[in-house]
Amino acid sequence: MAAMAADTRPAASYGPVNLLVVQPTPFCNLDCDYCYLPNRDNRSRLSMEILELALERVLGSPFFRAPFTLLWHAGEPLTAGIRFYDEAAAVIAEALQRHGLPADTVTQAIQTNATVIDKAWCDCFRRNGIQVGISMDGPAFLHDAHRRTRTGLGSHAAVMRGIDWLKREQVPFHVISVLSADGLDHADAIFDFFVESGIQLVGFNMEETEGENSRSSLESPDAEQRYVAFLQRFWQRLQQQPDALRLREFDGITSLACGEERLANTDMNWPFVIVNVDVNGNVSTFDPELLSVKTEEFGDFAFGNVRTDSLVSLLQNEKFQRVEAQVHAGVERCRQSCAYFGLCGGGAGSNKYWEHGTFDCTVTQACRYRTQLVADVVLDGMEKALGLAA
């Protein structure tokens, strides 16, 4: 009976779409050892026809109720080339015009390894209003240990050239840094690198067990203790230099702790808040990390294709119903059992599935690192700053 829950809920109760994740190509010019994506040597490129259909599926659905971000992600998006993004911008503008919507209904963003960024790319970002996120792991000795080219060379120097172009051309950007076990003892080196490089907006993605990365280095017995020490040192440095940079993880917990609102769910566990479309037009929802991988139980996590299926029709897909029922049950387990629920809203389904083999479960290593340990450090730091703790 649980699997039929998605059938009986009105479509308008889902969404609204906040994020449309589109894969311009599965190909990546790097071979990072912790990447979750398969088929990174596949040079297929998204057609403008599929992009147009993806936009139509979102804009014509009851899940569209407000402006949203179109994120180019999964593979290395810049290998699609500058002309691709100029053509895509025209397709987006035409779709909005057909629906009588203002240009700011869709904001483009891109997550890139930055290795090919030059002045022409900076001009492209500006011309098409593309917000830029850079994937890089801090100082060279940490970054190059994991983020190598296909010939085994480190990519740090190329990334820094790209970042220098962004700064020179005054294109705003943020950095997402994957934190593996070998970075946990280097909080000062990572902090100093970001500050000295003029990188002011930083987020940490913990190395996760998911997809092709079947084992995380953070599974070691002492990793949590080392991570807490890492966070505590980062917190100390930010108290000493409060304007040096902003850390996404600290900002998120601080804003929730100081506000009255608590999360009832997250974008990654509520259907059609995130819509994911791969290079072939396959469409899914929930975590973007689910779309491109295969499992024994579900096969892949594609629930349809934009060529043939509306988003509403996905509600009738048996695989969607099974996944949605498990995800919902897992969120309810978290709501009933976890003291941190108001800070995470039940976590990310992909982490639950990769770590436990089901969405219907509670705590994961990922939520320990992403939410629980961060919250403990931040709340302890705030209490000490207010003189409420020893």
Side-chain angles (χ1 to χ4, degrees):
M1 295 296 292
M4 297 304 293
D7 251 354
T8 58
R9 264 177 230 160
S13 69
Y14 292 115
V17 176
N18 287 336
L19 185 65
L20 172 61
V21 180
V22 180
Q23 182 184 51
T25 176
F27 179 76
C28 186
N29 58 335
L30 298 186
D31 190 22
C32 304
D33 61 12
Y34 48 59
C35 186
Y36 70 93
L37 285 167
N39 305 318
R40 298 194 299 276
D41 58 352
N42 180 347
R43 293 179 178 269
S44 300
R45 194 169 70 173
L46 184 83
S47 71
M48 291 300 118
E49 176 196 9
I50 288 178
L51 175 60
E52 182 177 356
L53 286 169
L55 290 164
E56 286 300 319
R57 296 308 188 193
V58 172
L59 296 174
S61 78
F63 311 132
F64 167 68
R65 297 195 286 276
F68 62 89
T69 297
L70 189 162
L71 173 63
W72 302 105
H73 185 50
E76 171 43 49
L78 299 194
T79 61
I82 289 174
R83 182 178 175 182
F84 173 90
Y85 292 99
D86 287 340
E87 292 176 351
V91 169
I92 294 167
E94 289 167 5
L96 294 177
Q97 188 175 32
R98 279 196 303 273
H99 286 265
L101 296 167
D104 61 1
T105 299
V106 175
T107 299
Q108 291 188 74
I110 201 163
Q111 191 65 34
T112 171
N113 62 37
T115 54
V116 301
I117 291 177
D118 56 12
K119 186 180 188 305
W121 273 111
C122 292
D123 292 341
C124 174
F125 298 147
R126 259 197 307 265
R127 181 167 64 244
N128 296 311
I130 301 175
Q131 299 177 354
V132 181
I134 305 298
S135 301
M136 66 96 61
D137 295 349
F141 76 94
L142 292 173
H143 178 101
D144 284 344
H146 302 282
R147 299 183 62 82
R148 295 180 174 273
T149 68
R150 290 179 171 273
T151 58
L153 300 176
S155 62
H156 191 267
V159 175
M160 292 309 296
R161 282 196 298 272
I163 287 175
D164 286 343
W165 271 111
L166 292 171
K167 291 193 293 185
R168 190 181 316 165
E169 294 295 314
Q170 299 183 338
V171 176
F173 67 95
H174 66 270
V175 162
I176 294 178
S177 180
V178 174
L179 194 59
S180 303
D182 52 3
L184 297 181
D185 302 321
H186 298 287
D188 284 303
I190 294 173
F191 185 94
D192 290 338
F193 168 80
F194 286 136
V195 173
E196 291 165 7
S197 301
I199 296 171
Q200 298 180 319
L201 298 174
V202 179
F204 287 128
N205 281 359
M206 311 309 296
E207 182 191 349
E208 297 175 347
T209 300
E210 62 178 359
E212 293 289 291
N213 192 42
S214 60
R215 192 78 185 255
S216 168
S217 63
L218 297 173
E219 294 175 19
S220 60
D222 63 344
E224 282 199 8
Q225 182 180 357
R226 291 167 61 205
Y227 180 53
V228 169
F230 176 95
L231 291 174
Q232 289 171 333
R233 182 56 182 160
F234 233 80
W235 180 270
Q236 290 170 357
R237 293 296 303 273
L238 282 172
Q239 304 317 297
Q240 297 163 0
Q241 298 173 256
D243 298 323
L245 60 83
R246 289 175 52 195
L247 186 65
R248 177 189 63 187
E249 285 64 37
F250 289 169
D251 284 355
I253 297 296
T254 301
S255 63
L256 284 168
C258 294
E260 294 182 2
E261 246 181 88
R262 295 292 181 267
L263 296 178
N265 48 61
T266 74
D267 290 358
M268 289 189 288
N269 62 38
W270 189 251
F272 301 104
V273 177
I274 301 175
V275 175
N276 312 298
V277 178
D278 76 6
V279 70
N280 298 311
N282 296 313
V283 61
S284 186
T285 185
F286 306 113
D287 308 25
E289 288 83 356
L290 291 173
L291 182 59
S292 298
V293 295
K294 296 183 184 296
T295 68
E296 185 174 340
E297 180 181 2
F298 292 102
D300 61 28
F301 287 100
F303 303 131
N305 190 286
V306 295
R307 293 182 186 275
T308 55
D309 303 294
S310 70
L311 296 188
V312 170
S313 72
L314 302 187
L315 298 179
Q316 306 304 318
N317 179 279
E318 185 269 342
K319 190 190 322 185
F320 167 79
Q321 293 179 9
R322 289 168 57 206
V323 172
E324 197 273 340
Q326 277 196 24
V327 169
H328 179 73
V331 171
E332 289 307 307
R333 283 179 184 267
C334 291
R335 192 191 310 275
Q336 298 300 321
S337 64
C338 184
Y340 298 87
F341 182 84
L343 299 177
C344 80
S350 63
N351 296 125
K352 291 182 175 183
Y353 192 84
W354 299 127
E355 292 188 33
H356 298 300
T358 179
F359 299 102
D360 185 6
C361 59
T362 56
V363 66
T364 62
Q365 175 184 283
C367 75
R368 287 285 294 160
Y369 283 98
R370 184 181 296 137
T371 301
Q372 296 182 1
L373 299 178
V374 178
D376 290 346
V377 169
V378 170
L379 295 176
D380 180 66
M382 293 173 67
E383 288 176 354
K384 287 178 178 176
L386 295 170
L388 301 176

